[in-house]
Amino acid sequence: MIRSVITGTGSALPVRRVSNAEMAEMVDTTDEWIVERTGIRFRHIAGEGETTATLARDAATRALDAAGIAAAEVDLIVLATATPDQTFPATATKVQAMLGINDCVAFDVAAVCSGFLYAVQVADSMIRSGVARRALVIGAETFSRILDWEDRTTCVLFGDGAGAMVLEAQESDEATGRGILATKLHADGRHNELLYVDGGPSTTGTVGKLRMKGREVFRHAVVNLAAVMGESMALAGLSTDSVDWVVPHQANARILDATARKLGLAPERVVVTVDQHANTSAASVPLALDVAIRDGRIRPGQIVVLEAMGGGFTWGAAVVRI
Ligand code: COA
């Protein structure tokens, strides 16, 4: 059968790395509070000249190098972001131009922190239906530009970055072959007011700032993430025992622990980068995946579950044999 196989990953972070101690100089917070409540120690913040598109380009370039293919061979770019360079055109088309690809399908997906999972399902569907053969799937964000830097309950939680993967159509053995084995997505639009941006082109004519009721989001996150991971594994016909790694959305170390516990997964099987990157929204899953592939933790043939939840609410999971 034809599956979408991950043939390369890449990631990129802004140059400037900001510690909790530096955050405590900006708002009334402490390193102890941030570490204890979230597990976050550092975040990268985009500087002048660094945008969602430049971070996405750098991550994509590294993913293409890892896959050993030329940019011109890409026929699809799906870019997940809630912080596009411009309201339109899609940031995917900016990245396309930066990579020197003159003709391919390129568009953005907006599902906030679970945007990358949405992008993966869209690209996988297009590959398996024969519409695309080589896709760049990217999650890229500059959330620092939509944070209220006077709100200590949100500004300490987020960071900027990008992650990318190359997905290629390949013949894959049904029982043992590589590729995306299952994806499952959800949305429940009743929860808009728990996590949102208080502006937009069609409402205020402004970009707006991020607002969040963290405690409520936390509660939904653990329940929804554990459920959707279970659903995706059932779709792939796999039990928890066969999962080698979980690469979760990196919002809060306590959410990662609680979700793993709910599923009976050992914490050693969960990839954690939230301490270094904070919450990079749509970038967090591909960033963490790239880190764990490059440092040798995730190896070919292993079963990896990707999962994320974000504003909307939206949430989803994917099961992949690497
Ligand atoms: N520094 C110090 N104190 C802070 C603080 C900060 N940066 N931010 C909030 N506080 C205070 C609050 O004001 C509150 O004080 P009060 O009790 O006097 O009112 C206290 O800390 C506890 O706040 P609370 O919101 O109950 O803390 P919490 O344990 O729920 O942790 C979050 C807050 C945001 C870290 C946590 O709820 C969380 O991670 N939620 C999920 C967020 C998330 O994942 N979002 C993205 C999904 S995509």
Side-chain angles (χ1 to χ4, degrees):
M1 65 192 296
I2 294 292
R3 284 206 178 103
S4 312
V5 174
I6 301 174
T7 56
T9 61
S11 58
L13 291 161
V15 174
R16 183 169 166 233
R17 187 178 188 241
V18 177
S19 68
N20 290 344
E22 287 170 81
M23 295 301 301
E25 289 167 16
M26 293 181 227
V27 287
D28 181 17
T29 192
T30 59
D31 176 50
E32 293 72 31
W33 191 94
I34 301 172
V35 172
E36 190 193 308
R37 301 291 178 120
T38 72
I40 296 166
R41 293 179 186 277
F42 297 96
R43 73 283 294 141
H44 288 252
I45 302 294
E48 208 182 328
E50 289 176 320
T51 70
T52 295
T54 69
L55 294 168
R57 172 202 59 202
D58 294 347
T61 302
R62 287 168 195 148
L64 290 169
D65 285 348
I69 67 166
E73 294 176 79
V74 169
D75 53 17
L76 170 67
I77 301 174
V78 188
L79 187 147
T81 191
T83 47
D85 277 29
Q86 297 160 271
T87 302
F88 80 81
T91 302
T93 60
K94 274 190 96 167
V95 175
Q96 179 199 18
M98 287 169 165
L99 294 174
I101 306 170
N102 293 336
D103 187 17
C104 74
V105 176
F107 59 94
D108 290 357
V109 163
V112 207
C113 296
S114 43
F116 188 76
L117 271 303
Y118 271 68
V120 164
Q121 192 186 70
V122 169
D124 176 47
S125 304
M126 291 175 75
I127 285 173
R128 285 186 298 106
S129 69
V131 173
R133 288 199 61 77
R134 289 191 185 85
L136 260 175
V137 187
I138 306 170
E141 303 277 16
T142 43
F143 258 49
S144 64
R145 307 235 156 98
I146 56 163
L147 293 175
D148 176 350
W149 284 95
E150 291 176 359
D151 176 9
R152 69 174 182 171
T153 69
T154 53
C155 74
V156 302
L157 303 175
F158 294 89
D160 301 333
M165 62 167 61
V166 174
L167 281 182
E168 294 190 61
Q170 284 186 6
E171 191 60 43
S172 171
D173 181 83
E174 188 159 357
T176 59
R178 297 175 65 198
I180 295 176
L181 308 182
T183 57
K184 182 68 189 169
L185 300 177
H186 290 278
D188 182 350
R190 290 173 296 175
H191 301 294
N192 185 301
E193 82 292 352
L194 297 182
L195 178 52
Y196 65 102
V197 166
D198 62 6
S202 181
T203 48
T204 58
T206 62
V207 172
K209 297 290 181 207
L210 182 147
R211 306 292 170 204
M212 178 168 70
K213 297 198 173 78
R215 207 177 307 174
E216 276 105 308
V217 176
F218 191 106
R219 204 163 42 80
H220 283 274
V222 175
V223 174
N224 289 342
L225 288 171
V228 77
M229 282 167 70
E231 285 176 293
S232 67
M233 285 188 272
L235 281 173
L238 296 171
S239 67
T240 313
D241 294 343
S242 47
V243 174
D244 294 296
W245 293 101
V246 177
V247 182
H249 172 46
Q250 308 284 323
N252 182 319
R254 289 188 295 142
I255 296 180
L256 308 192
D257 289 345
T259 311
R261 217 174 310 121
K262 220 170 157 62
L263 278 173
L265 276 159
E268 302 79 51
R269 288 198 270 166
V270 180
V271 174
V272 180
T273 56
V274 68
D275 55 330
Q276 298 298 313
H277 303 154
N279 181 346
T280 58
S281 188
S284 92
V285 169
L287 239 171
L289 179 67
D290 184 53
V291 167
I293 286 178
R294 283 175 192 264
D295 70 19
R297 269 179 290 175
I298 296 180
R299 297 189 305 276
Q302 290 188 325
I303 297 287
V304 175
V305 180
L306 314 176
E307 49 96 329
M309 143 123 188
F313 292 141
T314 57
W315 64 103
V319 183
V320 188
R321 187 175 283 111
I322 296 293

